Amino acid sequence: MLVRVARAPRLRSTISDIYDLEQSVDGLFRQFLGSELLPFSAEYPAVDVRDSGKEFELLCELPGLAKDELKISVHDGVLTISGERAAADLPEKVRWIRKEIPRGSFSRSVKLPREVDASGVSAELHDGILRIVLPKSETSLPREIAVR
Amino acid sequence: MTHQGKSVVRRADAENALDGRAKSTAIVISPSADVLETSGAYLLMLDMPGAAKEGISVAMEGESLTVRGSTERLQNNETEVLFSEIRSGTYLREFTLGRDVDREKIEATYEQGVLTLRLPKKESLKPREITVR
């Protein structure tokens, strides 16, 4: 093997070997215990949800995906992100040395809070991060009532 | 939900020992990689979503090639985090190069959150056919 990856055993142990070892040990535990007991979720793709007051913001990690390989839909208060990460576009004769990147189709659904205005949802994809902005509906925003 | 798991914190400490520039709270993420060989080059692809192009560094020292990147996510204090699975921190991974890699001609591109490195093989070491005269 001509390109050797840091995970291969070596006499001189490096910091990255230690990280990699820890990751593989974590992976083993995850297999035995299930994802609930460990800090990282096994769900794909990984998602963050934030509340900024006026809107909800959903971030989703989707490296290697183009805009048109992605489908976002809102139906019955459920937001679904689906798509397919195609195989890398490669020349005919290649020899794989390491294959860790997950490829293929995926789908993930998130239940929306009732107060989202589904018609105002917008999305952008930048550097492998999908950002979906979900404005809260007017009726759910806090407002002051004047005393007459 | 937070990602301050024990193993993650230990990883960050190790990173500190290695590089004083890292913040004590930094989480080190080992990016997933695809490595393959074609007749003329090696290709290395690394999933590094959210890494700003300017924040990515590819350093060579001796036989080792080190890839780093930081995820400078929009850390807005005005927002309340309801749910968090995405790891934020520093991408770091080290690879060992073979002698047949032409170090002068390594190319790197960052697109759609994927860093692709093309490591061409040295011309003199490429397989070739010799015509019999």
Side-chain angles (χ1 to χ4, degrees), chain A residues 2-7 10 14-16 19-20 22-23 26 39-41 45-52 56 59-61 63-66 85 90-91 93-101 103 108 127-129 131, chain B residues 1 3 5 7-8 10-11 14-15 18 28 30-38 42-43 45 47 49-51 73-74 78-87 91-98 100 110 112-114:
Chain A
L2 297 161
V3 167
R4 197 150 46 95
V5 183
R7 265 179 216 196
R10 266 199 272 171
T14 65
I15 297 292
S16 60
Y19 302 145
D20 284 345
E22 282 194 353
Q23 288 220 327
D26 282 355
F40 301 126
S41 164
V47 161
D48 272 11
V49 183
R50 294 176 193 166
D51 183 350
S52 75
F56 292 103
L59 299 177
C60 182
E61 265 188 343
L65 249 93
R85 184 166 183 187
L90 299 169
K93 262 191 168 178
V94 297
R95 185 175 72 90
W96 283 92
I97 296 167
R98 189 166 279 264
K99 208 170 191 174
E100 298 169 354
I101 294 178
R103 295 181 194 273
R108 189 152 185 203
D127 286 345
I129 304 278
R131 181 170 174 266
Chain B
M1 205 199 318
H3 293 318
S7 64
V8 172
R10 259 190 286 122
R11 250 173 254 167
E15 159 75 347
L18 180 80
V28 175
S30 177
S32 297
D34 276 0
V35 182
L36 54 94
E37 182 184 357
T38 69
Y42 295 96
L43 285 177
M45 285 165 273
D47 265 0
R73 297 258 162 67
L74 306 154
E78 311 259 304
T79 64
E80 183 196 349
V81 176
L82 302 177
F83 188 66
S84 174
E85 293 170 350
I86 298 177
R87 290 182 292 165
Y91 290 114
L92 173 66
R93 193 149 176 192
E94 189 190 332
F95 299 88
T96 305
L97 296 178
D100 58 339
Y110 182 68
Q112 296 167 351
V114 181

Side-chain angles (χ1 to χ4, degrees), chain B:
Chain B
M1 205 199 318
T2 63
H3 293 318
Q4 302 294 329
K6 245 186 173 176
S7 64
V8 172
V9 175
R10 259 190 286 122
R11 250 173 254 167
D13 290 345
E15 159 75 347
N16 268 347
L18 180 80
D19 184 347
R21 285 173 299 176
K23 289 176 194 158
S24 58
T25 51
I27 290 170
V28 175
I29 306 161
S30 177
S32 297
D34 276 0
V35 182
L36 54 94
E37 182 184 357
T38 69
S39 59
Y42 295 96
L43 285 177
L44 228 146
M45 285 165 273
L46 294 118
D47 265 0
M48 294 167 72
K53 199 175 179 177
E54 304 73 41
I56 296 175
S57 77
V58 182
M60 269 183 294
E61 201 185 324
E63 285 189 331
S64 91
L65 178 111
T66 307
V67 175
R68 280 170 199 272
S70 67
T71 61
E72 283 182 28
R73 297 258 162 67
L74 306 154
Q75 295 294 344
N76 193 341
N77 293 328
E78 311 259 304
T79 64
E80 183 196 349
V81 176
L82 302 177
F83 188 66
S84 174
E85 293 170 350
I86 298 177
R87 290 182 292 165
S88 193
T90 306
Y91 290 114
L92 173 66
R93 193 149 176 192
E94 189 190 332
F95 299 88
T96 305
L97 296 178
R99 292 213 177 118
D100 58 339
V101 171
D102 191 340
R103 278 133 220 259
E104 307 299 312
K105 288 183 182 159
I106 296 177
E107 288 166 25
T109 51
Y110 182 68
E111 248 174 28
Q112 296 167 351
V114 181
L115 178 72
T116 303
L117 297 175
R118 192 173 176 276
L119 316 167
K121 294 181 190 173
K122 281 179 186 158
E123 285 294 334
S124 57
L125 295 173
K126 274 187 197 168
R128 67 176 109 176
E129 276 194 33
I130 288 129
T131 325
V132 180
R133 281 190 292 191

Side-chain angles (χ1 to χ4, degrees), chain A residues 73-132:
Chain A
S73 67
V74 180
H75 184 67
D76 279 347
V78 175
L79 175 90
T80 302
I81 303 162
S82 58
E84 186 173 355
R85 184 166 183 187
D89 191 15
L90 299 169
E92 263 181 33
K93 262 191 168 178
V94 297
R95 185 175 72 90
W96 283 92
I97 296 167
R98 189 166 279 264
K99 208 170 191 174
E100 298 169 354
I101 294 178
R103 295 181 194 273
S105 54
F106 63 86
S107 177
R108 189 152 185 203
S109 297
V110 177
K111 196 172 186 306
L112 298 176
R114 201 173 296 165
E115 62 260 39
V116 164
D117 173 15
S119 63
V121 176
S122 64
E124 59 178 42
L125 184 62
H126 188 62
D127 286 345
I129 304 278
L130 174 71
R131 181 170 174 266
I132 304 177

Side-chain angles (χ1 to χ4, degrees), chain A residues 53-54 136-145:
Chain A
K54 279 189 173 171
K136 293 185 184 178
S137 59
E138 286 294 325
T139 51
S140 70
L141 290 175
R143 63 182 130 169
E144 283 188 27
I145 288 129

